[in-house]
Amino acid sequence: MNLPPADHTSYDVVIVGGAIMGSSAAWWLSRDPSFDGTVLVVERNPTYEGSSTATTNSCMRQQFSNEINIRISQFAAEYVRTFPTWFDDDVPDIATHHFGYMYLADTESFAAALKTNQARQATWGAGTEIMTPAEIAANYPFYNLDGIICGSHNVVDEGYFDSGTIFDTWRSQARRNGVEFVHDEVVGLGVDTDRVATVILASGTEIACGAVVNAAGPRASSVAAMAGIELPVEPRKRYSFVFAAAEALDRALPLTIDPTGIHVRSDGGYYQAGCAPDDDRAVAADDLSFDHEIWEDKVWPVLAHRIPAFERVKIVNRWAGHYAFNVLDQNVIVGPHPEITNFILMNGFSGHGLQQAPAIGRGVSELIASGGYRTLDLSPLGFERVLTQTPFIERAVI
């Protein structure tokens, strides 16, 4: 572990977790002209191996049913598109592939939900279209559409983006702007009535703080518990597979969500598929063990049925990662805790984190620097709904 400098025992902001969310908040704070404080990011594993950030499928979409989630994604698309303009240094453009998402409906109720969502999305500026089976077949002739009633597709700012370059740039630029990153682990929080007063590290260092940001991903509930807060976020396992096909498709494969819930997309010259386990429950935060039967038993039969060209494929990579799963409503919890007011949450992304990182990091920075949201109003996603057990309903959750 590397410790903060001996004379640095107090910081205006301590961020717990340095992966995509912690680095986003740190970078946005470091460039905010209304903030001139000190920032420390505490990361328990600076290799980030096994983190949700490192095991992501790195996709973005606007096919949500709530305006705020669409606005968050629209800002991500704009941010990725204009990435170099946000920095004084030369930074690379971000690679993107706008093959879109394709939701396939095989029931009248799901088809009706897709059509309702599409009407809402159009109102909010998303380019989603409802496609008949004939239209799908004309554009993507490789699908087996038996039983499919319709599809919902959007090739405008939907698909894959290079989140790894964004993550690396945020970290390096935050450091350049004065943010300190330390390899250590937060093991305790000293709470004084309505605020966190100190952060206790595994190294034995105790740091006074003005605010604490919980960016601990799947470990977020453990950090919250140190402040006496019960956070409904737990690690849930998700499986990813990269494979080659003996019969490559003649065009890009949209990120296709089969009615079974299994999803698959183009991945350069390969294809990437993913799924949840049938027994989708909380696991230990360090449990990345792999179920080697799930491909043969669950994933491949669905893929070969939906896309017959995938009858003959070869796995080239596979891994397990974690969703930081919000069991209340599968949406992010962001903002200050209503009772411990300097404890800021950015937790429970439930698989949406990479695409939501630009807007959520910006929002957290605004809260700390200005005392409120200045751009997108993220207050509907605050912790108050946890206290009242009032879910923020999002009908387009994968």
Side-chain angles (χ1 to χ4, degrees), residues 4-5 8 11-16 38-42 179-182 199 201 207:
H8 289 195
Y11 290 83
D12 294 292
V13 180
V14 176
I15 299 175
V16 185
T38 54
V39 180
L40 177 69
V41 179
V42 183
V179 173
E180 296 179 38
F181 285 70
V182 62
V199 176
L201 305 184
I207 297 171

Side-chain angles (χ1 to χ4, degrees), residues 334-356:
V334 62
H337 188 270
E339 296 170 1
I340 303 177
T341 54
N342 71 334
F343 189 79
I344 312 296
L345 302 112
M346 46 191 322
N347 308 119
F349 289 88
S350 306
H352 307 143
L354 271 291
Q355 65 186 304
Q356 295 190 330

Side-chain angles (χ1 to χ4, degrees), residues 50-71:
S51 67
S52 295
T53 297
T55 57
T56 180
N57 289 350
S58 196
C59 295
M60 67 167 70
R61 63 183 165 107
Q62 295 180 24
Q63 292 190 64
F64 290 96
S65 64
N66 274 290
E67 182 178 7
I68 187 61
N69 280 333
I70 293 172
R71 298 298 185 202

